[in-house]
Amino acid sequence: MPFQVAVCGPRHCTPQDEQHAREVGRLLAQAGATVICGGGVGVMAAVAAGAHAEGGLVIGVRPGDTAADADPHLSAVIVTNLGEARNAVIVWSADAVIAIGGSWGTLSEIALAKRRGTIPVITLGGWTITDHHGNPLADDAIPASTPQDAVTHALNHRS
Amino acid sequence: MPFQVAVCGPRHCTPQDEQHAREVGRLLAQAGATVICGGGVGVMAAVAAGAHAEGGLVIGVRPGDTAADADPHLSAVIVTNLGEARNAVIVWSADAVIAIGGSWGTLSEIALAKRRGTIPVITLGGWTITDHHGNPLADDAIPASTPQDAVTHALNHRS
Amino acid sequence: MPFQVAVCGPRHCTPQDEQHAREVGRLLAQAGATVICGGGVGVMAAVAAGAHAEGGLVIGVRPGDTAADADPHLSAVIVTNLGEARNAVIVWSADAVIAIGGSWGTLSEIALAKRRGTIPVITLGGWTITDHHGNPLADDAIPASTPQDAVTHALNHRS
Amino acid sequence: MPFQVAVCGPRHCTPQDEQHAREVGRLLAQAGATVICGGGVGVMAAVAAGAHAEGGLVIGVRPGDTAADADPHLSAVIVTNLGEARNAVIVWSADAVIAIGGSWGTLSEIALAKRRGTIPVITLGGWTITDHHGNPLADDAIPASTPQDAVTHALNHRS
C-alpha cells in the first residue's frame, strides 16, 4: 500500500498557502505517496491539482452528503455525511499530516492528529499555539519552512 | 470523476459469494468504475482482488484505527476509527450499491442505502426481507441473478 | 448508572406502532430505565411521550445539526450531525434494543445491534428477515408479542 | 428543553483545572443547565461531580465501545464508538462550550466549536492561539477569568 499523507488547510487561504499546497501535492505525487485531503476549495483544491498534475492518487474526504461539490482533480471521493467529524477520518487515514495555513478547521485537524499521537504532524505557516505562559509547547507539531521541507519531514516516516 | 460502486458482503462468506464478488470486482474495473468496499476479508477481499486483477481503483473503508489489517489489493485505505458507523460512509460514497451474501453487517449497509434512497441497491444472494405478513416489500432492493446482471443494474445509473 | 434501553422505529409509523411505543416508554420509565431514541417523530415521539409521562429520563440522538427539530418531551438532546451514522451511536449506547415497526432506518438499527452482538435485540411488529431459502435466521432478534413482553425481555438483561 | 453546556478539558489536568471544572459543574446545575462532557477522568470527572452534587443532569459522551469506563456521576452515557470524532458530537450538542485547561483533545473541541461558529466558546486557562505573526486572533474564543465568569458568558446566550 502506498504511503498516505493528509494535507490540510483552509478553504479561504492566502495565495502563498495555495502555492505551497500545490507544490506539496506535486512533491508527494512525485514520491509515489497518496494524498488524502478534504476535497474542497482553497488548500484542498491546490494540493489536489498539484498531485493530479504529476499523475498522483488523491482522495477527497467530504463533510456533506454529495460528491457534487468535490474538487474535479480528485481520483476518488469519500462522501462521509459526517460534517466536520470527517476531520477525524482524514487524520486516521494518514501516515503523516501536513497542515498548510491557519483556520479553525485546520487547527482541529492538527489537534486531532497530535491527540492520535502516532504520526508526524508538520505545519507550513498557519497559527501558533503556546501554553498558558506564552511558551512553546513541549510536544508541538514540526514547523517546516518550505514545501520540500514539509514533504521531507513527512516521508522520513515512511518505512 | 469515475462512477463509484460500493460492494458489500460478509467477512465469513460462502465460496459462491466469494466467486461472485471477485467477478463483480473484475467487471466493475473493466467498466472503469471505482470499487468502494470495507477493505477486510471475505467478500471485501474478493472484490478487491477482482478489481485489482483488472487494474481498477479499489478503496477500502476500515472500521478500526489502523490500516494494518487492510486487504493488500486496495489502492488506498480510509481508516475511519468509527466502528460500524463506517458502513454509512461506504453507502454515502457510492453511486450504486451491490450487496453479495447475507450477514448483519451487510444488512445494515443495504438498509442504510435504501434509507438514503437516491441510489440503486442491488442484491446478489443473501437474506430476504418481507413485511409483517410475509409479503415482499414494495420498495425492496433489486435482486440480481448473476455478477454480470448486478453490474449491469449498477452501471445503468451512470450518467 | 441506570439501565439504558434504545427504542427504535419509523418516523412514519402505524397507529399500533405508536401505541406500542408509548406503552414501552411508560413501562421502561416505571422500571427506572433510561430511554435512548432518535428524538424525532413517529415511534421516536411516542416513546418519548410515554417515558416523559412517567417522569423517566429520555434522550434523543439526532441525525442533523440542530436541536430545533427535536421532540419536546426529551430530557436532553444529542445533536450528532452524523446523518444516519447516528443509528450506530444509538445502538452502542444501549444495554438492550427494542425495535417497533418496520422501515429501512429501523432495520439498519436492528442490523447494527445484531452485528454488535452483545446485547438483546427485541422486535415488536415490523419486518421479517429470512435466509436465502426463506428459513428463519438461526441468530434472529427476539420477537415480542406485546409492549410488556418486549420490556420484560429487555430488562431480563439488567444485572 | 434545558440549555445544554459542553464542558471540555484534559484527562490529565492540573489541580486548578479540576477545581475550576467542579465549580463550573455546580454553577451550571444550579442554573438549571444540562452539562455535556466527555464522561472520562480529569476535567470530565470534576465537572460531572460538581453537577451531580447539585442534582444537575450531566451526560457523558464516550469515545470507546463501552460504558464501563464512564464516570459514575453521569446521569446517562452516550457510547459513540467513534473515537475522537465524538468530540464533534459534544460540540454539536452544545448551546455553549466552556473549555478548561489545555490539551490536544481540548484544543480540537475548541477548534471544532469555533469552526461551527454559531455558539459562544469560552476558555478558562489552557493554551493560547495566535496568528502567524504572534498576534491574537480576531475571532478567538472568549477568555474567562473565573468559573463564575465562564458560566455567566455561557448563560448569556440562553434565550
Side-chain angles (χ1 to χ4, degrees):
Chain A
M1 193 89 55
F3 197 76
Q4 299 189 162
V5 179
V7 181
C8 307
R11 293 166 295 159
H12 309 295
C13 68
T14 67
Q16 189 182 44
D17 291 341
E18 197 171 333
Q19 186 189 331
H20 282 169
R22 186 179 296 260
E23 185 64 9
V24 164
R26 297 177 72 94
L27 292 168
L28 288 171
Q30 284 169 5
T34 297
V35 171
I36 311 283
C37 71
V41 298
V43 160
M44 300 176 272
V47 71
H52 181 263
E54 298 293 327
L57 194 66
V58 50
I59 298 175
V61 181
R62 301 296 298 145
D65 64 358
T66 176
D69 58 1
D71 184 79
H73 292 114
L74 300 172
S75 313
V77 184
I78 301 299
V79 179
T80 67
N81 199 27
L82 299 173
E84 298 300 310
R86 75 79 141 83
N87 295 2
V89 173
I90 291 175
V91 159
W92 278 103
S93 298
D95 298 308
V97 171
I98 298 174
I100 301 172
S103 72
W104 290 111
T106 307
L107 186 64
S108 77
E109 287 163 317
I110 294 171
L112 288 166
K114 290 297 302 182
R115 174 70 181 80
R116 178 179 168 201
T118 55
I119 52 168
V121 182
I122 299 120
T123 56
L124 185 57
W127 294 351
T128 299
I129 309 159
T130 56
D131 72 11
H132 201 43
H133 305 289
N135 296 320
L137 300 177
D139 179 37
D140 203 356
I142 304 164
S145 49
T146 63
Q148 178 66 66
D149 187 30
V151 169
T152 300
H153 275 298
L155 297 184
N156 268 347
H157 293 261
R158 182 157 58 167
S159 54
Chain B
M1 192 89 56
F3 197 75
Q4 300 189 159
V5 179
V7 181
C8 306
R11 293 166 295 160
H12 309 295
C13 67
T14 67
Q16 188 183 43
D17 292 339
E18 197 172 332
Q19 186 188 333
H20 281 169
R22 186 178 297 260
E23 185 64 10
V24 164
R26 297 178 72 94
L27 292 168
L28 288 171
Q30 285 168 5
T34 297
V35 171
I36 311 282
C37 72
V41 299
V43 160
M44 300 176 271
V47 72
H52 180 263
E54 298 293 327
L57 194 66
V58 51
I59 297 176
V61 181
R62 301 296 299 145
D65 63 359
T66 176
D69 58 0
D71 184 78
H73 292 114
L74 299 173
S75 313
V77 184
I78 301 299
V79 179
T80 66
N81 199 25
L82 299 174
E84 298 300 310
R86 75 81 140 81
N87 295 2
V89 173
I90 291 175
V91 159
W92 279 103
S93 299
D95 298 308
V97 172
I98 298 174
I100 301 172
S103 71
W104 289 111
T106 307
L107 186 65
S108 77
E109 288 163 316
I110 293 170
L112 288 166
K114 289 297 301 181
R115 174 69 181 81
R116 178 180 167 199
T118 54
I119 52 168
V121 182
I122 300 119
T123 55
L124 185 57
W127 295 351
T128 299
I129 309 158
T130 56
D131 72 11
H132 200 44
H133 305 289
N135 296 321
L137 301 177
D139 178 38
D140 203 357
I142 304 163
S145 51
T146 65
Q148 179 65 67
D149 188 29
V151 169
T152 299
H153 275 297
L155 297 184
N156 268 347
H157 293 263
R158 183 158 54 169
S159 54
Chain C
M1 192 90 54
F3 197 75
Q4 300 188 162
V5 179
V7 181
C8 306
R11 292 166 294 158
H12 309 294
C13 67
T14 68
Q16 190 182 43
D17 292 339
E18 197 171 333
Q19 185 188 332
H20 281 169
R22 186 179 297 261
E23 185 63 11
V24 164
R26 297 177 73 93
L27 293 167
L28 288 171
Q30 285 169 6
T34 297
V35 172
I36 311 282
C37 72
V41 299
V43 160
M44 300 176 271
V47 72
H52 180 263
E54 297 293 327
L57 194 66
V58 52
I59 298 176
V61 181
R62 302 294 298 143
D65 63 0
T66 176
D69 58 0
D71 184 78
H73 293 114
L74 299 173
S75 313
V77 184
I78 301 299
V79 179
T80 67
N81 199 26
L82 299 173
E84 297 300 310
R86 76 81 140 82
N87 295 2
V89 174
I90 292 175
V91 160
W92 278 103
S93 298
D95 298 309
V97 172
I98 298 174
I100 302 172
S103 72
W104 290 113
T106 307
L107 186 65
S108 77
E109 288 163 316
I110 294 170
L112 289 166
K114 290 297 301 182
R115 174 69 181 81
R116 179 179 166 200
T118 55
I119 53 170
V121 182
I122 300 120
T123 56
L124 185 56
W127 295 351
T128 299
I129 309 158
T130 56
D131 72 11
H132 200 44
H133 305 288
N135 296 320
L137 300 178
D139 178 39
D140 204 357
I142 304 163
S145 50
T146 64
Q148 179 65 67
D149 187 29
V151 169
T152 300
H153 274 297
L155 297 184
N156 268 347
H157 294 261
R158 182 157 57 168
S159 55
Chain D
M1 191 90 55
F3 196 75
Q4 300 189 161
V5 179
V7 182
C8 307
R11 293 166 294 159
H12 308 295
C13 68
T14 67
Q16 189 183 43
D17 292 340
E18 197 171 332
Q19 187 188 331
H20 281 170
R22 185 179 297 260
E23 185 63 11
V24 164
R26 296 178 72 95
L27 293 168
L28 288 171
Q30 284 169 6
T34 297
V35 172
I36 312 282
C37 71
V41 298
V43 160
M44 300 176 272
V47 72
H52 181 263
E54 298 293 328
L57 193 66
V58 51
I59 297 176
V61 181
R62 302 294 299 143
D65 64 359
T66 176
D69 58 1
D71 183 80
H73 293 115
L74 299 173
S75 313
V77 184
I78 301 299
V79 179
T80 66
N81 199 26
L82 299 174
E84 298 299 311
R86 75 80 139 82
N87 295 1
V89 173
I90 291 175
V91 160
W92 279 102
S93 298
D95 298 308
V97 172
I98 298 174
I100 301 173
S103 71
W104 290 111
T106 307
L107 185 64
S108 78
E109 287 163 317
I110 294 170
L112 288 166
K114 289 297 302 182
R115 174 69 181 80
R116 179 179 167 201
T118 54
I119 53 169
V121 182
I122 299 120
T123 56
L124 185 56
W127 294 351
T128 299
I129 309 159
T130 56
D131 72 11
H132 201 41
H133 305 288
N135 296 319
L137 299 178
D139 178 38
D140 203 358
I142 303 164
S145 50
T146 63
Q148 179 65 66
D149 188 31
V151 169
T152 300
H153 274 298
L155 298 184
N156 269 347
H157 294 262
R158 182 157 57 170
S159 56

